[in-house]
Amino acid sequence: LAGVSHGTVSNVLNKRGNVSIDKINLVENAARRLGYKRNAQAQQLRRGRSKIVAVILPDFSPKAYLDLFASLESSLRKEDYSTSLYLTRNVPHYEEIILDQVSALNPDAIVVVSSLLKNDGIFSEKDRFIFVDRHVEGMPANARLLSFDFHQVGLEIGERIARDGHRNVALFSGDFEYSCGQQFR
């Protein structure tokens, strides 16, 4: 319909090669008239990448998790990635269901603040995991953990309190069940 070669059509639709603006317009107009829609799954298979990052959070409390998602989504959008957000409510069973669904999407990465304390095979080596704040016992060797050094923060706060001569101290904190809370305590 465009009056050009199959190679030119392929180059235009895949945004490759050196094609004149006139031929690009011909191909794009023909594609519109024919109702052509790009098949994202076919592109993913061809590229071997999904350009999807799954983000699994317990909730948006503390606000830091909302900030984490907003900044991650903003920076990934600039690189033509899409982000999918999942909330677990800190319920391990929900997280396991979500991980099963997310793995089927073949994401490029899974960013997770996990409610699981131990990996019982749910976090596989085939996925790329980036754990935030919470260490999971037995996490895959290729996974990364990004967090503050909660142990060091706890030491520095304790030293400051002692140096300032405080005698009675109250500590209000989140759950000590997770690695970040344990390290801080």
Side-chain angles (χ1 to χ4, degrees), residues 64-77:
Y65 295 151
L66 177 60
D67 294 341
L68 169 69
F69 177 73
S71 60
L72 185 59
E73 193 274 335
S74 176
S75 64
L76 288 171
R77 187 178 339 110

Side-chain angles (χ1 to χ4, degrees), residues 82-112:
S82 64
T83 53
S84 298
L85 174 64
Y86 304 87
L87 299 177
T88 67
R89 297 186 199 138
N90 255 336
V91 177
H93 178 68
Y94 290 167
E95 185 171 328
E96 290 174 3
I97 292 169
I98 289 168
L99 282 165
D100 192 43
Q101 294 169 349
V102 164
S103 186
L105 295 174
N106 192 27
D108 285 348
I110 300 171
V111 178
V112 61

Side-chain angles (χ1 to χ4, degrees), residues 2-20 23-24 27:
V4 297
S5 71
H6 287 106
T8 299
V9 171
S10 177
N11 285 339
V12 170
L13 295 178
N14 292 305
K15 299 185 184 331
R16 288 182 302 184
N18 188 12
V19 182
S20 73
K23 288 183 180 178
I24 291 172
V27 171

Side-chain angles (χ1 to χ4, degrees), residues 9 42 45 58 67 70 74 80 98 100 103 111 113 119 129 134-135 143 153 160 172-173 177 182-183:
V9 171
L45 285 172
D67 294 341
S74 176
D80 201 29
I98 289 168
D100 192 43
S103 186
V111 178
V113 177
N119 179 14
F129 287 99
R134 299 175 180 174
H135 178 269
V153 169
R160 175 66 186 258
F172 295 90
S173 178
E177 179 180 13
Q182 292 171 3
Q183 291 171 359

